[in-house]
Amino acid sequence: MSTLREDNATASKGDREPVDPRAYQLEMLAESMRKNIIVAMDTGSGKTHIALLRIAAELDRCGPEKLVWFLCPTVVLAQQQYDYFEKHLRCVQIRILTGNDGVDRWGEKQIWDDVLKDINLVVSTYQILLDALVHGFISMRRLALLIHDECHNCTKESSPNRIMQEFYHPKHRLMDEVPHILGLSASPIISSKLGGLEKIEQNMHALSKTPKLHREELLRYVHLPEMKTLIYPESVSGSENPPLLKGLLRTYSELDIRSDPYVVKLRAASHGGYSEQLRNALLSRKTYCQDQMKSLCGMAINVFEELGSWAVELYISICLQNFQSRRVPSIANFESLDEDERAYLLRAFAPLFDSRVDDQRSPEDSELSPKVRLLLDCLNAEVGPGFAGLVFVQTRASVRLIAHLVSIHTRTKDRLIVGTFVGTSNHHKRKSNIGEVHNVLDQGETLDDLRYGRKNLIITTSVLEEGIDVSATNAVICFEKPANLKSFIQRRGRARSAKSKYIIMFREDYQKNILHTWRQLEDNMKQMYMDDMRRLEEIRQQEDEEEGGEVFKIESTGAQMSLRDSVRHLDHWCSVLPTTQYADLRPVYSFEHHSDRTHVRARVLLPKSVDKTVREVLGGSWWKTEKFAKRDAAFEAYIALYHAGLVNDHLLPLIPNDEAALKAYSDIEKRPGLVTVKEKLSPWPKVAAAWQTGSTRFQSMIKFSIGQLVVPMRMISPFTLPSLSRLTLYPENDLVVHVDFDPIAGAEYTGDIKVSDTITMLLLFSIYRSRMASDRRGFPILFEPFIGVAEREKWLAEVTGTRPASALLAESSVCEQTGIVRDLSMNGVPYTFSGVTYQPVEINGAQAEGSAEPEMELAPFLAVSKLSKRADFLHPVVDNKDTKKTRVTKYLAPNTCTVDNLPFTHSQCAMYIPCVMHHVEAALIIEHLCNSLLSSIHFKNHHLVATAITASSAREAYNYQSLEFMGDSCLKVYATLNLMAMHLNWHEGYLTQKKGYIVSNGRLALAAQQTGLDQYIITKEFTGYKWKPLYNEDLLQSQPTKAREMSTKTLADVVEALLGAAFVDGGFPKVLACLSIFLPDVPWHSLSDCREVLHKVAIPNEASLFPHFFSHLEMLINHRFNTKSLLLEALTHPSHLGPDNTPSYERLEFMGDALLDIIITTRVFQHRSSLKPFRMHLLRTALVNADFLAFVGMRHFISVARTNLPPKDPGTTTFASESVVNLSIWHFMRHGHSAELIKAQASCHARFVDLQPAISEALSNGASYPWTLLTALAPGKFFSDIIESIIAAIYIDSAGSLAACETFLTVLGILPYVDRALDSGISVMHPKEELGVAAGNEKVRYEVAVLDDSVGEQEGRPGYKCKVSVGQLEVAVVFGARSRIEAETRAAEEALVVLKQHPGGLAIPLEDQHLEQEKVRRKNPMLDDDDEGEEEYVDAVDVLDEVELKDDGLCVEQDVDEGVGEEKGHDVRMGGCLSL
């Protein structure tokens, strides 16, 4: 009889024959066909084959619309089961669905319908089906059979139990159609409670069954192993850290959060400011790089404690080598690290890269932990002929290291052939893990290797505990004790060979009775499900009898929500609202009691950012407990959100449909940096066709101004050419040629075209004869001298052909009519003629009298210069040593040369014809674009269009960058106002999300391709070097479709540049027309229409409801509101909890940001001086900076008189006096009065009082933007938010008047400073960026330290200190900064001063020794006693969440409260040029 693993284990890849079922498997199949059961059989007994039989039987009887769904707990198990079913159910359409497939992005039912079309069997993880059911993509009615593998997981709030409780049982109670259920488990209970079996059965709506009729046959295939325990001593505490571990921990402690790429990006995104997101990142240290380093250190410490010093040294070395060489150690990919993150970590690891570990050396016992030595002894004792074993360990790193140790250790390397196996979850959101050393690609054949004897030992994690088919082994070793009863049983089932052993390693202090407890519980469990008389008890109600059966269901999708789900749904919806500091986004519940005092009803209040119509909702019923009243209120609130359009049909937070679709298919169709687009449109085939169809020809005059010489030429075309601007050419260093195109009145041309064609050939052939044939005619554009039509043939006869160069000897002078000289001895090399000269030559055979020297005579020579090979006339000659060479005069014998009859001036003009053709081609492309795609815009200035479609790479005299700067702002303001008007109840988060999609480069690039704009974009430089004449005959032939690659950014930039061109050509109306062309899926409306909609929905507010003191605010901002509610909304912080229903300012701030941007952008763009695009971007970044807006808002105030209380002294007759109170805009902000917010206002105001004189002076008279001073102000985001929200409120209230907004900005002093910055050329580059530029190739290094109290008193400057070095030299030191950012910015400023004072180089001494001994350091607790005296610099912020190594080596997280600022610390940061 064949063994179990031969029949029922997964066959090899080449074996696809079906297996024969055993009797006990058929018994279980029969039970399953009668009722729902849980097959409870030991591991390796063939449960999967029972499922296979059951699936086949169900597919035979169910309809084609039905699905069988097989559920697995892990991705690895799902893949194994899928492979098994695929092998044995060849005619069945099977689909596997896991997180690796990006299923969480499938937000449309159509996607699910497409994926499951014609599918019969689905294998997935639990969560996949649960999510599909929750969101209505799949219904229980569609399932014919539901199989739960490892069904012991169907408990509590687990995914499989939720599937049953929320979707199966409700349908079953209603006697609706539900699938049959089959459960598979080796251990139906997990915990140590025997009653858990009954609970599992209730949850699964199935009875546990084990074979009875054929039990003896089952026992022949299942062997219980011998139990054995190994006791190892506790690790010796206090052992010294190995050098590499010590270095790694030191590296982590010194890791600079300020240089972290995520922090750098946040700083750049906040325009040099100090945003809340940036502040949180600095305090929490929750960045990807920091987490990676922390995780690596934690794992290294764990390896050291568990495996010993040899293992940790090898582990760290492998991690570093993998990371340095970009080797991918696992399913995670290092490419998910962006280059900045990688460079940052490479710099941090640099000191460790030289540390190499000999990975082939067998370690000494002293280098291994006692636990590992015991494992090696055990393996050495157990191994023998036919040995096959498993070792279960806890971590993936341990898998790799123990496997490697076994393969090289002297006691095991010749006896064991080891393999490894770990989980392979590869979710699309998973990023790389530096601490990962296991390569899952190496384990593809591991299980087969064990099965067929190629390996005899596998080191694995808990992934092989359950489900995955493993060949029978005779030894299973648990390196750590099993976590629970389930693990104990599952692992034991792997040791199913006869006379096998099950070995568990315990530390010497373990609970010795745990094994007995597990065995006893298992026996009792088996007795329960062996009792044939026991019947399934009635399924108990899952909720208290009070809870009703209310379910809100969306019929179109099948998505549903019950009372049980309501609170969770509502909490989730609120959690995705835009986060705002000092505002709690959680729903607030309040309760009211019924008159009977026994029932209660709840009311829920949502955050202020939620639309007023659904912000407050009352529960629909009275309840006995607050718990269910709360659920009821949440239930009603979520339904209200759905009806308001804020929740989609799958009962999920709203995501715009187009963006949802884009995300759903992002894994299939990601838009790369380069895309294939159409080749640039060629207008010449159309020109060639016009020669064939039309009889009328048109002419225009071209004037070539070559120095002082003007050569008129005639250009002939088959139709009227568009207007052509002047063309400037640069043939030589000291020569500029202007080509002017003058239209001719009555431009029709009546001459013989054949003559013109021949003249064109003659002109071009004189210069480009190597590129053309002399017998071909038919050019798309014809050129000839501007002479009378009747004179052309005579002129042509005179200039055709050549004459001997000796004819020049008879000509009296050199003039422009002298043609090109060609040296026949050199294949006709062309030269320009400059004159005749006479030089002595030897007379053949003659000697002078009385001399041996030959007799000489004077002979004529032609003085010529070689015709320049330069063809790139569109660009000035580069001023380098090659171009400065003087033209060499050469002398040729006349008898070896000929001279063209064509005057050289005309050959010169022919030399420039390629440039003229390029110029005409561009004009034809622009005309075609304006008359087709852009026809509805009616551009008056076509040069704007030419500029907009020309990339800088084309090196034309113009490019799109400036127009793109303007168009970007136009797109932003249109998208913002249209979204605001279209979605009146959307909060700022939805609006931002949708706007981001509309203005994204990917969307705009797609629009450029969809509209065909890509074929008009000019990106390639024209140089003329490869130019060849075009012929109508060739152009009329069918041309193959060509394509080119173009960056998506270029495509997007051109769309924005056309928007900018439309704005310049005709203002916002033409921008609207342009938007309608490129983004037709958005129902665009004019800005005035949008403003009208927003004004109509503003909350009417009677004067009696308007705070009287807000009249002072109206005076302060110089605008009296007609709709008072707009001003209230603009000043209402999201934390406000007042009785009125005024929404928070977030929507208005969203709108005001775009309005401020368009105002500043327009002012900068339209300035009289021509600014470079880079300068314009710098200006805009500085002028909309949040710190700057906050400052001008705080500086602007109104003085309000207040009456003081009269004196209390009864003896005085003094009347009550008056005093003045200065109120700024932020004083009027309405908020929740939280202590944190009030503290933030007060502290910022205190800083403002100190900094205001200096900042105001810099803004009024300074030569540079006060970045450092504004950074020191460090205002909260709300200070600038209310400025932007007021701008939006004024715009809506003033009938869409940007002028009214500009008045407000003028009152604040923003626009006057804009004008000053433009007129005076104020430097607006950030000091750190400027220092990076000034440093050139040298690295800029910032060292930041937090001064403690004693140092602060000693120096008189409390706060931060920063040293900045350029290269190896220290340049500047600053003290007393209020923040780390301020310290670095100030240091950069001072360093720039030093660099400017030492333009020839730096020679600055290091600080005195006593400064190095400041008390800014603390002893690193991770250093050993032997390192006493060595100290680490640790930044104060680094104390947060840091990993510390205690005396016993335990890795813990330390949370530090707000007092962390008093800690001493030091940090080193590498800096450079910031990117905009």
Side-chain angles (χ1 to χ4, degrees):
M1 182 176 293
S2 60
T3 62
L4 174 64
R5 69 174 181 180
E6 289 173 337
D7 285 351
N8 279 358
T10 302
S12 67
K13 291 188 176 181
D15 180 10
R16 292 184 176 269
E17 294 300 319
V19 296
D20 295 328
R22 301 192 180 97
Y24 65 85
Q25 293 171 332
L26 293 176
E27 179 185 343
M28 291 294 96
L29 172 63
E31 289 282 354
S32 175
M33 296 298 290
R34 287 193 292 267
K35 56 190 173 186
N36 296 342
I37 68 168
I38 299 172
V39 176
M41 300 192 321
D42 287 325
T43 302
S45 56
K47 295 186 294 296
T48 302
H49 195 64
I50 296 173
L52 175 70
L53 299 173
R54 182 66 179 88
I55 291 169
E58 189 63 36
L59 291 177
D60 285 343
R61 70 181 186 181
C62 71
E65 76 285 355
K66 293 289 188 177
L67 285 172
V68 174
W69 206 293
F70 192 99
L71 295 171
C72 304
T74 66
V75 174
V76 174
L77 181 54
Q79 185 64 54
Q80 175 189 288
Q81 304 293 41
Y82 168 77
D83 292 340
Y84 185 73
F85 295 142
E86 189 179 42
K87 291 174 183 176
H88 300 297
L89 296 172
R90 298 181 181 181
C91 62
V92 175
Q93 294 292 323
I94 309 174
R95 176 82 71 191
I96 181 172
L97 299 177
T98 68
N100 302 347
D101 304 308
V103 178
D104 59 332
R105 297 174 181 266
W106 299 352
E108 298 292 332
K109 190 175 187 302
Q110 185 60 47
I111 300 175
W112 282 87
D113 292 342
D114 293 343
V115 168
L116 297 180
K117 183 179 180 181
D118 299 326
I119 297 298
N120 308 116
L121 171 62
V122 178
V123 180
S124 79
T125 51
Y126 299 141
Q127 192 65 41
I128 297 295
L129 179 57
L130 175 60
D131 290 342
L133 290 168
V134 166
H135 299 300
F137 302 133
I138 298 294
S139 65
M140 275 288 169
R141 181 185 294 271
R142 190 176 179 185
L143 303 183
L145 172 65
L146 185 59
I147 304 176
H148 289 253
D149 201 2
E150 309 299 341
C151 67
H152 47 262
N153 295 301
C154 189
T155 60
K156 300 181 180 178
E157 296 297 321
S158 66
S159 296
N161 194 33
R162 288 193 59 197
I163 291 171
M164 300 301 294
Q165 301 303 325
E166 299 177 19
F167 296 95
Y168 177 88
H169 287 294
K171 294 285 187 183
H172 184 263
R173 284 194 292 268
L174 295 174
M175 301 185 70
D176 201 351
E177 187 176 356
V178 292
H180 301 284
I181 301 296
L182 174 63
L184 308 175
S185 179
S187 172
I189 63 173
I190 298 177
S191 66
S192 299
K193 297 179 180 179
L194 190 58
L197 175 60
E198 296 178 352
K199 187 63 176 177
I200 292 290
E201 291 179 329
Q202 291 176 5
N203 293 343
M204 289 286 296
H205 193 225
L207 285 174
S208 294
K209 288 289 183 178
T210 191
K212 176 184 177 183
L213 301 178
H214 303 89
R215 184 161 182 78
E216 291 184 2
E217 182 185 22
L218 172 63
L219 294 177
R220 287 201 299 267
Y221 295 104
V222 179
H223 306 279
L224 292 180
E226 174 191 352
M227 286 289 302
K228 182 178 179 181
T229 59
L230 296 178
I231 310 300
Y232 60 89
E234 294 187 49
S235 300
V236 180
S237 61
S239 58
E240 180 179 355
N241 291 350
L244 199 51
L245 175 59
K246 190 183 303 180
L248 176 64
L249 297 177
R250 182 181 296 109
T251 297
Y252 174 61
S253 68
E254 294 175 349
L255 197 61
D256 174 24
I257 185 68
R258 293 291 175 171
S259 298
D260 191 293
Y262 177 65
V263 173
V264 172
K265 289 178 182 177
L266 288 180
R267 185 179 296 110
S270 60
H271 309 299
Y274 201 49
S275 67
E276 284 305 318
Q277 193 175 7
L278 175 59
R279 191 191 308 273
N280 291 337
L282 292 173
L283 290 176
S284 68
R285 296 182 67 87
K286 291 296 184 182
T287 71
Y288 182 65
C289 291
Q290 301 290 325
D291 289 346
Q292 286 291 291
M293 183 69 84
K294 178 179 176 180
S295 174
L296 177 60
C297 290
M299 181 55 69
I301 292 170
N302 177 266
V303 169
F304 176 49
E305 294 173 343
E306 288 288 303
L307 307 183
S309 60
W310 169 86
V312 72
E313 292 277 280
L314 178 61
Y315 170 71
I316 296 173
S317 177
I318 293 173
C319 292
L320 295 178
Q321 291 177 36
N322 286 342
F323 185 69
Q324 187 179 24
S325 62
R326 288 183 182 262
R327 284 198 296 268
V328 182
S330 69
I331 43 82
N333 191 342
F334 281 141
E335 296 305 320
S336 60
L337 281 165
D338 62 36
E339 287 303 318
D340 291 339
E341 290 174 330
R342 175 174 168 77
Y344 173 70
L345 291 175
L346 281 174
R347 289 195 299 269
F349 288 138
L352 305 178
F353 284 141
D354 293 335
S355 301
R356 299 293 180 182
V357 175
D358 183 3
D359 60 355
Q360 298 303 312
R361 179 183 65 85
S362 178
E364 301 293 334
D365 283 353
S366 61
E367 299 176 272
L368 302 175
S369 68
K371 187 176 182 181
V372 171
R373 293 198 296 269
L374 185 61
L375 175 64
L376 291 175
D377 292 339
C378 177
L379 289 173
N380 198 45
E382 296 295 334
V383 68
F387 175 81
L390 290 176
V391 177
F392 284 100
V393 300
Q394 188 169 355
T395 66
R396 296 161 70 100
S398 296
V399 169
R400 167 75 182 273
L401 295 168
I402 293 177
H404 184 68
L405 174 63
V406 171
S407 68
I408 65 169
H409 200 277
T410 54
R411 283 185 286 172
T412 54
K413 65 179 182 179
D414 296 327
R415 308 184 66 191
L416 291 169
I417 305 174
V418 65
T420 60
F421 196 90
V422 299
T424 59
S425 177
N426 188 23
H427 194 270
H428 72 277
K429 295 181 179 178
R430 177 173 178 174
K431 293 189 80 173
S432 60
N433 188 337
I434 296 175
E436 181 63 71
V437 295
H438 192 86
N439 192 346
V440 298
L441 300 179
D442 297 336
Q443 68 182 35
E445 304 295 329
T446 295
L447 299 182
D448 282 344
D449 288 343
L450 182 68
R451 180 173 297 113
Y452 296 113
R454 295 189 292 266
K455 288 185 172 65
N456 57 5
L457 180 67
I458 294 180
I459 314 297
T460 183
T461 59
S462 59
V463 68
L464 285 188
E465 281 184 359
E466 60 184 18
I468 298 177
D469 185 54
V470 181
S471 176
T473 58
N474 46 36
V476 171
I477 304 173
C478 299
F479 194 62
E480 293 90 8
K481 69 179 180 66
N484 49 39
L485 174 61
K486 182 205 73 170
S487 293
F488 170 78
I489 296 174
Q490 299 279 16
R491 291 184 181 187
R492 189 188 63 185
R494 295 306 185 189
R496 58 180 185 265
S497 294
K499 300 182 180 180
S500 59
K501 292 183 179 179
Y502 184 36
I503 303 170
I504 304 177
M505 300 180 67
F506 288 97
R507 202 164 66 176
E508 56 188 0
D509 59 349
Y510 82 107
Q511 296 179 355
K512 297 184 179 181
N513 62 345
I514 188 171
L515 293 180
H516 175 74
T517 302
W518 283 347
R519 288 171 177 161
Q520 184 64 44
L521 184 61
E522 183 184 21
D523 292 340
N524 294 339
M525 176 190 68
K526 288 185 176 181
Q527 182 61 41
M528 289 184 65
Y529 62 66
M530 283 293 296
D531 185 2
D532 288 342
M533 299 304 295
R534 183 173 56 86
R535 293 291 180 263
L536 180 65
E537 296 179 4
E538 182 180 359
I539 299 176
R540 295 177 297 176
Q541 294 293 331
Q542 298 301 307
E543 297 294 339
D544 187 273
E545 63 177 5
E546 181 187 35
E547 183 169 8
E550 291 87 349
V551 173
F552 179 67
K553 184 174 181 179
I554 309 300
E555 294 298 333
S556 61
T557 65
Q560 64 181 42
M561 175 187 65
S562 64
L563 281 178
R564 177 190 301 176
D565 286 331
S566 60
V567 173
R568 179 173 57 85
H569 273 65
L570 190 59
D571 286 345
H572 173 65
W573 190 89
C574 291
S575 70
V576 299
L577 291 171
T579 56
T580 303
Q581 194 175 20
Y582 313 116
D584 190 347
L585 298 180
R586 293 173 297 181
V588 177
Y589 296 91
S590 59
F591 301 93
E592 57 181 275
H593 289 277
H594 193 270
S595 57
D596 63 9
R597 309 304 297 172
T598 61
H599 290 78
V600 67
R601 184 168 60 179
R603 183 186 305 271
V604 61
L605 185 66
L606 302 182
K608 274 281 188 178
S609 56
V610 180
D611 185 68
K612 58 183 179 294
T613 60
V614 291
R615 184 168 173 254
E616 186 175 359
V617 179
L618 182 66
S621 302
W622 295 93
W623 302 84
K624 294 180 180 179
T625 64
E626 291 185 355
K627 174 182 178 180
F628 293 112
K630 177 180 176 181
R631 289 182 178 182
D632 181 37
F635 186 77
E636 296 295 335
Y638 210 75
I639 293 175
L641 291 173
Y642 171 77
H643 290 306
L646 300 175
V647 172
N648 65 19
D649 285 342
H650 297 287
L651 297 181
L652 292 170
L654 185 64
I655 298 177
N657 292 333
D658 41 17
E659 185 177 3
L662 189 65
K663 287 183 176 180
Y665 293 103
S666 61
D667 286 338
I668 302 172
E669 188 181 352
K670 290 184 177 178
R671 186 153 298 279
L674 290 176
V675 292
T676 300
V677 300
K678 297 175 184 175
E679 184 60 72
K680 187 184 73 174
L681 175 72
S682 174
W684 299 120
K686 177 183 175 183
V687 178
W691 283 109
Q692 305 296 319
T693 57
S695 59
T696 305
R697 312 304 179 207
F698 299 87
Q699 62 176 322
S700 57
M701 177 188 290
I702 313 178
K703 293 181 180 178
F704 291 88
S705 300
I706 308 172
Q708 300 299 318
L709 179 66
V710 177
V711 182
M713 297 284 288
R714 179 182 288 116
M715 184 166 63
I716 305 169
S717 59
F719 51 77
T720 303
L721 296 177
S723 176
L724 298 168
S725 60
R726 167 178 274 196
L727 178 63
T728 302
L729 306 176
Y730 307 91
E732 300 175 16
N733 275 327
D734 54 354
L735 178 62
V736 176
V737 175
H738 296 295
V739 184
D740 294 293
F741 303 85
D742 297 330
I744 302 174
E748 184 176 339
Y749 182 69
T750 58
D752 187 350
I753 294 302
K754 292 183 178 179
V755 176
S756 302
D757 211 359
T758 303
I759 293 175
T760 303
M761 186 281 299
L762 180 66
L763 291 170
L764 294 174
F765 193 73
S766 69
I767 298 297
Y768 302 106
R769 58 179 56 196
S770 64
R771 307 182 191 180
M772 59 186 294
S774 61
D775 58 347
R776 292 198 71 182
R777 304 289 190 274
F779 303 96
I781 301 293
L782 304 179
F783 298 88
E784 64 184 26
F786 198 81
I787 58 178
V789 173
E791 300 173 11
R792 294 179 308 142
E793 293 189 23
K794 177 183 178 183
W795 180 87
L796 180 61
E798 293 175 352
V799 301
T800 301
T802 63
R803 63 186 185 277
S806 58
L808 295 176
L809 303 179
E811 298 179 5
S812 59
S813 62
V814 178
C815 66
E816 292 81 4
Q817 301 305 314
T818 303
I820 293 175
V821 175
R822 301 184 188 275
D823 185 358
L824 299 181
S825 66
M826 298 295 292
N827 296 321
V829 174
Y831 294 90
T832 59
F833 177 71
S834 57
V836 177
T837 184
Y838 290 83
Q839 297 183 7
V841 297
E842 180 181 344
I843 301 176
N844 291 333
Q847 290 184 343
E849 292 185 12
S851 173
E853 297 294 330
E855 188 174 354
M856 309 293 289
E857 68 176 356
L858 292 176
F861 285 86
L862 305 180
V864 296
S865 299
K866 198 168 185 179
L867 192 65
S868 174
K869 293 183 179 180
R870 176 172 166 78
D872 182 10
F873 304 128
L874 291 178
H875 308 104
V877 179
V878 178
D879 191 13
N880 56 40
K881 61 180 181 180
D882 296 329
T883 59
K884 290 182 179 179
K885 291 180 179 178
T886 58
R887 179 168 295 183
V888 178
T889 300
K890 190 173 182 179
Y891 301 94
L892 302 177
N895 60 352
T896 64
C897 301
T898 61
V899 179
D900 288 357
N901 291 329
L902 181 68
F904 179 68
T905 52
H906 291 92
S907 294
Q908 254 186 311
C909 294
M911 191 183 303
Y912 306 139
I913 283 179
C915 295
V916 173
M917 293 286 286
H918 171 71
H919 195 55
V920 172
E921 177 182 323
L924 290 172
I925 291 174
I926 302 306
E927 183 180 51
H928 188 279
L929 174 60
C930 291
N931 292 338
S932 55
L933 179 61
L934 305 181
S935 60
S936 61
I937 303 178
H938 306 293
F939 271 103
K940 295 177 292 186
N941 186 350
H942 284 198
H943 179 69
L944 288 171
V945 180
T947 303
I949 66 170
T950 304
S952 58
S953 59
R955 293 189 63 210
E956 296 287 348
Y958 46 81
N959 62 65
Y960 62 62
Q961 291 179 343
S962 294
L963 288 175
E964 181 272 332
F965 171 78
M966 186 70 241
D968 171 76
S969 191
C970 291
L971 175 60
K972 180 179 178 179
V973 74
Y974 259 94
T976 298
L977 267 71
N978 273 269
L979 288 174
M980 288 273 290
M982 282 189 289
H983 305 287
L984 297 173
N985 60 358
W986 276 18
H987 57 71
E988 184 263 340
Y990 284 172
L991 295 170
T992 300
Q993 196 175 45
K994 179 68 172 180
K995 186 193 77 174
Y997 167 72
I998 292 175
V999 306
S1000 67
N1001 278 355
R1003 180 66 187 90
L1004 297 178
L1006 186 62
Q1009 291 180 273
Q1010 290 174 337
T1011 57
L1013 176 65
D1014 52 341
Q1015 65 184 321
Y1016 297 99
I1017 300 175
I1018 301 171
T1019 60
K1020 191 174 182 180
E1021 177 184 6
F1022 178 82
T1023 62
Y1025 286 111
K1026 296 183 179 181
W1027 183 87
K1028 291 182 180 180
L1030 299 174
Y1031 297 97
N1032 293 335
E1033 179 184 0
D1034 299 336
L1035 293 170
L1036 291 173
Q1037 294 180 1
S1038 177
Q1039 301 293 328
T1041 302
K1042 295 182 179 180
R1044 55 178 170 162
E1045 284 194 336
M1046 188 178 297
S1047 97
T1048 52
K1049 186 178 187 309
T1050 297
L1051 290 165
D1053 285 350
V1054 170
V1055 174
E1056 291 181 328
L1058 285 171
L1059 292 172
F1063 177 79
V1064 176
D1065 196 66
F1068 285 125
K1070 288 196 174 183
V1071 174
L1072 178 60
C1074 195
L1075 285 170
S1076 300
I1077 293 172
F1078 292 108
L1079 299 172
D1081 53 319
V1082 179
W1084 298 103
H1085 296 85
S1086 68
L1087 298 183
S1088 59
D1089 288 346
C1090 295
R1091 174 265 160 196
E1092 187 66 26
V1093 171
L1094 295 172
H1095 186 262
K1096 286 181 178 178
V1097 299
I1099 302 174
N1101 197 300
E1102 300 296 333
S1104 59
L1105 302 178
F1106 186 70
H1108 68 89
F1109 54 84
F1110 265 50
S1111 60
H1112 298 309
L1113 178 59
E1114 291 181 307
M1115 296 172 60
L1116 180 62
I1117 63 179
N1118 197 27
H1119 182 85
R1120 187 163 296 280
F1121 280 81
N1122 297 308
T1123 306
K1124 305 294 185 181
S1125 61
L1126 287 169
L1127 185 57
L1128 278 179
E1129 181 178 346
L1131 272 295
T1132 301
H1133 188 268
S1135 64
H1136 183 253
L1137 297 174
D1140 64 86
N1141 208 19
T1142 304
S1144 64
Y1145 60 58
E1146 290 166 298
R1147 276 176 56 92
L1148 288 179
E1149 182 269 329
F1150 170 76
M1151 177 178 170
D1153 175 74
L1155 292 170
L1156 175 63
D1157 190 88
I1158 193 67
I1159 291 172
I1160 299 297
T1161 299
T1162 304
R1163 209 171 187 91
V1164 171
F1165 180 82
Q1166 295 179 343
H1167 191 256
R1168 59 181 178 273
S1169 62
S1170 180
L1171 299 176
K1172 293 182 178 180
F1174 178 67
R1175 168 75 174 166
M1176 290 194 291
H1177 280 283
L1178 287 177
L1179 283 165
R1180 182 168 64 184
T1181 300
L1183 297 171
V1184 300
N1185 175 266
D1187 294 345
F1188 175 63
L1189 296 179
F1191 173 79
V1192 296
M1194 297 177 75
R1195 181 181 62 174
H1196 185 55
F1197 64 88
I1198 184 172
S1199 296
V1200 178
R1202 289 190 178 178
T1203 302
N1204 298 324
L1205 293 176
K1208 295 182 180 181
D1209 185 359
T1212 179
T1213 58
T1214 304
F1215 293 100
S1217 60
E1218 285 188 350
S1219 62
V1220 173
V1221 176
N1222 296 330
L1223 297 177
S1224 296
I1225 295 175
W1226 65 271
H1227 288 100
F1228 294 89
M1229 187 179 77
R1230 309 190 314 157
H1231 54 79
H1233 303 285
S1234 70
E1236 293 81 4
L1237 191 151
I1238 294 174
K1239 181 180 178 181
Q1241 288 180 324
S1243 60
C1244 185
H1245 182 258
R1247 293 191 296 272
F1248 170 79
V1249 171
D1250 291 338
L1251 295 169
Q1252 186 270 333
I1255 297 177
S1256 294
E1257 173 62 23
L1259 294 177
S1260 299
N1261 304 306
S1264 60
Y1265 186 82
W1267 284 107
T1268 303
L1269 294 171
L1270 290 172
T1271 301
L1273 182 63
K1277 185 176 181 294
F1278 57 82
F1279 282 102
S1280 58
D1281 284 348
I1282 56 177
I1283 300 298
E1284 293 176 331
S1285 63
I1286 290 175
I1287 294 173
I1290 292 174
Y1291 181 83
I1292 297 174
D1293 188 67
S1294 63
S1297 171
L1298 286 176
C1301 301
E1302 290 175 345
T1303 299
F1304 172 56
L1305 296 178
T1306 300
V1307 168
L1308 291 180
I1310 294 177
L1311 293 189
Y1313 184 72
V1314 172
D1315 295 336
R1316 180 171 177 268
L1318 291 169
D1319 295 336
S1320 304
I1322 291 174
S1323 173
V1324 292
M1325 185 177 288
H1326 194 280
K1328 294 185 69 176
E1329 182 181 8
E1330 191 174 355
L1331 179 60
V1333 173
N1337 293 329
E1338 297 289 345
K1339 289 185 178 180
V1340 180
R1341 180 183 175 91
Y1342 296 89
E1343 298 180 58
V1344 180
V1346 182
L1347 304 175
D1348 65 9
D1349 292 339
S1350 60
V1351 173
E1353 293 171 0
Q1354 176 184 345
E1355 297 292 336
R1357 306 181 186 93
Y1360 283 79
K1361 163 191 170 183
C1362 181
K1363 303 176 188 178
V1364 60
S1365 302
V1366 176
Q1368 300 300 316
L1369 296 175
E1370 183 178 306
V1371 182
V1373 181
V1374 297
F1375 295 88
R1378 295 174 178 84
S1379 69
R1380 188 163 166 177
I1381 292 179
E1382 180 194 355
E1384 292 181 350
T1385 309
R1386 279 179 48 195
E1389 260 190 347
E1390 295 196 13
L1392 282 169
V1393 173
V1394 174
L1395 289 180
K1396 291 174 182 177
Q1397 292 173 348
H1398 298 78
L1402 295 173
I1404 303 174
L1406 293 174
E1407 278 192 286
D1408 294 337
Q1409 186 66 26
H1410 73 276
L1411 290 178
E1412 293 297 329
Q1413 297 172 352
E1414 289 176 343
K1415 296 178 181 179
V1416 294
R1417 303 176 294 178
R1418 69 175 184 176
K1419 183 71 178 294
N1420 186 346
M1422 289 185 251
L1423 294 177
D1424 301 314
D1425 294 337
D1426 293 341
D1427 294 313
E1428 187 173 359
E1430 293 184 35
E1431 293 180 321
E1432 286 279 314
Y1433 289 121
V1434 182
D1435 183 73
V1437 181
D1438 293 343
V1439 178
L1440 285 172
D1441 225 10
E1442 71 177 331
V1443 175
E1444 290 194 72
L1445 186 60
K1446 303 298 183 182
D1447 292 339
D1448 60 354
L1450 179 64
C1451 181
V1452 299
E1453 288 190 353
Q1454 177 182 359
D1455 293 325
V1456 180
D1457 59 19
E1458 293 180 3
V1460 70
E1462 300 175 358
E1463 292 281 351
K1464 296 169 286 186
H1466 186 276
D1467 156 34
V1468 175
R1469 179 171 183 207
M1470 301 303 296
C1473 182
L1474 299 177
S1475 301
L1476 289 181

